[in-house]
Amino acid sequence: MSKTGSKEERDLVNKLWNANFAAMRAPASGGATKRPLPDVLAGNGKLYLAIEVKSTRQEYIYIDNEKITNLLKFSKIFGAKAYVGAKFIRKPWRFIKIEDLHITRKNNYRVNIDLAFSKGLDFNEIIGESKQTKLI
């Protein structure tokens, strides 16, 4: 993973800790193991999140089919909600449900900035705080 990707993962882990979630980066992510691990794992005793983190300066993010398959496999076993955490540089985090990702001709996945901001959730939404809850 690039320095930027690792930085974004650390940023997300810190945001999750600040929201009262225990969170960690999976150090085996990226090929150190054959096990299906997400980039970030978090939970608060009620809600568990498994997140594949992608960051870019471009308009599109491409994700290999194997990464999504492994994310789904891990999430099912662990009981976590699976998301792709998309960090477009200089934009806020967006979290996309797997079923909302675009499938490419080669059976991989793609998310662009428009999809991320039209169908993706913001940070408060994935941790169970709706925007309306925050206003009260």
Side-chain angles (χ1 to χ4, degrees):
M1 169 159 286
S2 71
K3 282 185 180 180
T4 302
S6 295
K7 177 184 172 289
E8 301 301 347
E9 287 177 6
R10 285 189 300 275
D11 173 62
L12 180 57
V13 166
N14 287 330
K15 286 176 74 71
L16 287 159
W17 274 103
N18 290 337
N20 296 317
F21 278 72
M24 62 175 272
R25 291 176 58 217
S29 175
T33 182
K34 297 292 182 199
R35 297 211 168 116
L37 299 175
D39 290 327
V40 173
L41 179 63
N44 67 0
K46 297 177 209 149
L47 176 62
Y48 300 95
L49 306 171
I51 304 169
E52 181 68 29
V53 174
K54 297 295 176 190
S55 65
T56 187
R57 296 180 188 281
Q58 309 300 318
E59 295 278 320
Y60 291 91
I61 295 172
Y62 291 92
I63 309 153
D64 291 335
N65 183 297
E66 182 180 16
K67 285 196 178 269
I68 298 301
T69 300
N70 286 340
L71 177 65
L72 291 170
K73 186 184 293 184
F74 178 91
S75 296
K76 183 177 180 183
I77 294 167
F78 196 82
K81 290 188 177 189
Y83 293 101
V84 169
K87 184 65 170 98
F88 293 91
I89 303 304
R90 294 186 197 81
K91 303 272 186 203
W93 279 98
R94 300 305 287 179
F95 300 90
I96 301 96
K97 295 176 184 175
I98 306 310
E99 61 267 22
D100 289 335
L101 295 172
H102 175 80
I103 300 174
T104 68
R105 282 180 276 143
K106 293 185 178 182
N107 252 1
N108 291 310
Y109 293 86
R110 182 183 75 216
V111 59
N112 66 27
I113 200 164
D114 292 333
L115 182 131
F117 282 88
S118 65
K119 291 195 173 189
L121 304 172
D122 67 22
F123 181 77
N124 287 331
E125 290 171 315
I126 67 155
I127 64 168
E129 294 182 11
S130 70
K131 291 177 184 176
Q132 292 172 348
T133 303
K134 291 297 260 187
L135 296 175
I136 296 173

